[in-house]
Amino acid sequence: MLGVGALAIALAACGAPPAKESSSSGTAAATAKSAADFGGLDKLVEAAKKEGTLNVIALPPDWANYGVMLKTFEEKYGIKIDSAQPDGSSADEIKAAQQLKGGDRAPDVFDLGLNVAVANKTMFAPYKVATWEEIPAELKDGEGLYYGDYGGFMSIGYDAGKVPAPAKVEDLLKPEYAGKVALNGDPTQAGAAYSGVVMAALGSGGSADDIAPGVEFFKKLKAAGNFLPVDPSPATIESGQTPVVIDWDYTNAAQTAKLAGKVDWKTVVPTGAQIGAYYNQAINVDAPHPAAARLWQEFLYSDEGQNIYLQGLSRPVRLEAMTKSGKADSAAAAKLPKTDGKQVFQTQEQADKAKQVLTATWAQAVG
């Protein structure tokens, strides 16, 4: 996600390996740090169209409106998108880039939880989009290696026809939720599941500094017979297999409209447990389509791309600036799941500490 063209040209005279076509400014696509290095956005578009393909990974169509995002980009630029492992985790993205390095199927861009992004900075190419200044400083790496794209708050989605409305995290320990509570992924690998544990910690006497109560909560949830070890998806929600899902508010809320008339799906951000986070964009330093990778970033952070995120009920990283300038989709913003009270965003130091706790205790707690 986050030169002129990356067309390989054979240097037959000296038998050298292919090189990236360079832009008018002399900067190769693979090392361009902004659209200016191409001679402007139009030149970047030209270079990306020459490449003709963009490889993305772990972007479910129902997640943050990515289905619309991918289709709009393809139609706007005439660039084919190869979308791999749509249900993959952040860790899966990095693993794929390592395994496919040097090939034309390697991911061009990443969409990562903060923990995974910070741990793999050496795999990213620095790039600053045109709207860089409107991305809050605390949500971006200063060199442009990774930066927040969209975010939200952890929530509880539930089928109101099958379970009572939960108001707080500990409600899920009640008998009414027996065998019904699913967590989106493995918290040692997936950002959504990780934040679900932090939410549980906040709702169980813990804090951003101490997530052990969150692990203990899931241990109790399993002991009570309420934890459902099924990775939830739109299909499992519609079929009734996962009547309660702990996931991002934008993912849960998107199912409400999709399942209208079939499932009475509702979303609540639990009282006293409002943990927010942003996912992060990064460009693979070994991207097989480096110009398309950079154009994808420009599109995501444009007004159009940010409003597509917003229409998917996630909170785009430029929302505050776009609201002030009148460029945000106000109708979409009005539909965002409601939050009330203290909002918590972990620092990287807190996240690092929490990750150590999870690695040491999660498998034993729920295994």
Side-chain angles (χ1 to χ4, degrees):
M1 314 171 195
L2 183 245
V4 165
L7 295 177
I9 53 176
L11 303 180
C14 59
K20 300 294 184 185
E21 182 181 338
S22 60
S23 68
S24 57
S25 65
T27 302
T31 57
K33 295 183 178 180
S34 71
D37 286 344
F38 289 86
L41 184 60
D42 288 345
K43 292 293 186 181
L44 171 57
V45 172
E46 179 183 334
K49 284 185 174 181
K50 286 182 180 179
E51 292 176 350
T53 301
L54 173 72
N55 296 343
V56 303
I57 185 170
L59 300 183
D62 291 297
W63 176 283
N65 217 17
Y66 264 122
V68 172
M69 191 78 77
L70 296 168
K71 181 180 179 181
T72 303
F73 181 84
E74 280 191 317
E75 293 178 347
K76 186 180 183 76
Y77 298 111
I79 294 172
K80 178 182 180 296
I81 293 180
D82 184 356
S83 182
Q85 295 180 249
D87 294 319
S89 67
S90 294
D92 290 334
E93 297 181 53
I94 297 300
K95 185 182 300 182
Q98 293 169 336
Q99 293 175 341
L100 299 172
K101 182 177 180 179
D104 61 6
R105 292 174 50 243
D108 286 307
V109 289
F110 303 108
D111 184 280
L112 304 165
L114 182 59
N115 285 340
V116 177
V118 171
N120 293 280
K121 290 196 295 183
T122 58
M123 295 180 64
F124 309 150
Y127 186 81
K128 295 183 179 181
V129 294
T131 53
W132 177 258
E133 295 303 323
E134 292 188 357
I135 302 173
E138 64 273 19
L139 296 176
K140 60 189 178 185
D141 171 76
E143 296 180 17
L145 292 171
Y146 61 87
Y147 27 101
D149 46 5
Y150 61 91
F153 291 89
M154 192 48 50
S155 70
I156 302 170
Y158 63 98
D159 183 342
K162 293 186 175 181
V163 296
K168 55 185 186 295
V169 172
E170 292 195 339
D171 285 345
L172 299 181
L173 295 171
K174 296 177 179 178
E176 294 92 330
Y177 299 92
K180 293 182 172 64
V181 184
L183 177 65
N184 187 8
D186 177 343
T188 65
Q189 299 183 39
Y194 164 82
S195 292
V197 176
V198 180
M199 179 189 77
L202 295 177
S204 305
S207 67
D209 288 303
D210 177 21
I211 70 153
V215 177
E216 182 63 22
F217 168 82
F218 278 97
K219 184 177 181 179
K220 291 179 181 177
L221 196 70
K222 182 183 179 185
N226 292 10
F227 184 60
L228 180 61
V230 172
D231 208 8
S233 69
T236 65
I237 291 173
E238 183 172 358
S239 69
Q241 186 180 3
T242 54
V244 181
V245 174
I246 296 174
D247 201 352
W248 293 114
D249 56 357
Y250 50 85
T251 304
N252 271 324
Q255 297 306 310
T256 300
K258 180 184 177 185
L259 299 176
K262 299 178 181 178
V263 178
D264 187 11
W265 191 257
K266 298 183 182 298
T267 302
V268 60
V269 178
T271 303
Q274 295 183 48
I275 177 69
Y278 282 80
Y279 276 79
N280 296 267
Q281 286 293 316
I283 295 173
N284 185 356
V285 70
D286 297 307
H289 311 102
R294 286 155 175 78
L295 181 59
W296 173 249
Q297 301 293 42
E298 293 289 356
F299 177 66
L300 294 184
Y301 291 88
S302 68
D303 294 344
E304 183 177 10
Q306 293 282 286
N307 273 323
I308 289 174
Y309 279 137
L310 184 57
Q311 289 154 10
L313 303 178
S314 62
R315 293 164 171 80
V317 74
R318 291 179 53 229
L319 180 58
E320 182 176 355
M322 288 175 62
T323 300
K324 288 180 180 178
S325 66
K327 295 177 180 178
D329 184 331
S330 57
K335 296 178 182 178
L336 292 173
K338 305 303 180 187
T339 57
D340 183 34
K342 183 180 179 182
Q343 297 179 350
V344 176
F345 292 86
Q346 279 190 316
T347 64
Q348 189 53 47
E349 182 179 2
Q350 290 171 328
D352 288 342
K353 180 181 177 182
K355 187 176 180 181
Q356 292 175 357
V357 172
L358 274 174
T359 300
T361 63
W362 178 256
Q364 184 176 359
V366 301

